[in-house]
Amino acid sequence: MRQRLLEGGADGFHDYELLEYVLALAIPRQDVKPLAKELLAQFGDLPAVIAASPGELTRVKGVGESVAAALKFVEALSVRQLQRRALEKPLLSNFDAVTDYLHARLAHELTEEFRVLFLDNRNRLVRDEKFGEGTVNQAPAYPREIVKRAIELQASAVILVHNHPSGDPTPSRDDIQLTRAIADAAKPLGIQLHDHLVIARTGHVSLRAEGLI
């Protein structure tokens, strides 16, 4: 497998084979193909396996701390690579890379998480911060706190982001109301709300593209 990868790249590999190689690094001298296939069966696909929490992973028979840690390192490398690519250019001119990064970070989370991307006057990222983590269908976010933080960071604009663990990225009524409340709080202070992105396993929705801002 190592020689195949080095000579021909990853295109010719099945997902279970890529996962098998990572597992073999964590559990040497053992046939880990059955475990790779079991993980894919349990979680549905390779991204979901990599995004699963250590607690979820170790509930699968044969997965110990070393395997869980190896998979979380793979996830961290993937997210870091996508984050760097997203930050190479101003965010609004590099939006596909930004959504790839956000999807990798949030799409497979089991609870809602609300994040804010703070941008400078050239639309470069100043800070990416989590503002709330909620239940399976709700994450608290507070317009006043977001605007206050934007002022502290001397940010000129913000992009709101949260995930829908249900897998459906369709914005809810609460999502729309919150977006408009944050926009109304930010506008008098010269802080622009560029967008609110809803991330889910099946894709994402931009409230601005939908005409909801």
Side-chain angles (χ1 to χ4, degrees):
M1 287 179 68
R2 177 173 57 198
Q3 205 61 33
R4 280 173 59 199
L5 184 65
L6 292 176
E7 291 178 359
D11 288 346
F13 283 81
H14 297 290
D15 283 358
Y16 79 84
E17 292 178 305
L18 295 173
L19 185 54
E20 180 185 353
Y21 191 84
V22 175
L23 296 177
L25 298 176
I27 315 175
R29 298 179 297 279
Q30 182 176 321
D31 180 12
V32 292
K33 183 181 293 183
L35 180 56
K37 291 186 173 181
E38 177 62 22
L39 283 165
L40 288 169
Q42 290 272 349
F43 292 98
D45 58 24
L46 187 55
V49 173
I50 300 302
S53 71
E56 293 172 304
L57 290 167
T58 53
R59 283 196 287 271
V60 178
K61 185 178 179 181
V63 176
E65 191 175 85
S66 61
V67 168
L71 293 173
K72 299 321 291 179
F73 269 111
V74 170
E75 181 191 30
L77 284 168
S78 175
V79 170
R80 187 70 58 86
Q81 178 195 24
L82 291 168
Q83 183 185 46
R84 293 290 170 82
R85 187 181 300 166
L87 300 182
E88 285 175 354
K89 302 174 183 176
L91 267 63
L92 297 187
S93 62
N94 198 27
F95 218 60
D96 286 346
V98 173
T99 54
D100 286 346
Y101 156 62
L102 293 170
H103 197 274
R105 184 158 197 165
L106 292 172
H108 293 278
E109 292 294 321
L110 297 179
T111 56
E112 279 199 17
E113 182 176 313
F114 193 97
R115 304 191 71 87
V116 181
L117 309 183
F118 296 94
L119 314 180
D120 66 15
N121 57 10
R122 295 197 299 166
N123 289 319
R124 292 188 178 275
L125 186 68
V126 175
R127 199 73 60 86
D128 169 8
E129 292 188 353
K130 180 164 72 173
F131 262 78
E133 188 170 9
T135 64
V136 73
N137 61 2
Q138 185 176 13
Y142 307 103
R144 193 175 302 173
E145 291 184 10
I146 292 170
V147 171
K148 178 182 176 184
R149 185 61 174 148
I151 293 170
E152 291 173 351
L153 295 171
Q154 297 183 322
S156 298
V158 297
I159 296 174
L160 312 176
V161 188
H162 82 282
N163 62 309
H164 279 181
S166 67
D168 180 2
T170 304
S172 68
R173 182 181 300 175
D174 288 343
D175 294 339
I176 298 167
Q177 290 176 346
L178 174 63
T179 304
R180 291 173 178 169
I182 294 172
D184 289 344
K187 187 175 181 180
L189 299 169
I191 300 166
Q192 185 174 357
L193 173 58
H194 282 321
D195 210 339
H196 185 170
L197 301 174
V198 184
I199 308 292
R201 290 186 299 275
T202 56
H204 70 275
V205 169
S206 157
L207 269 71
R208 181 165 294 282
E210 295 295 314
L212 299 172
I213 301 177

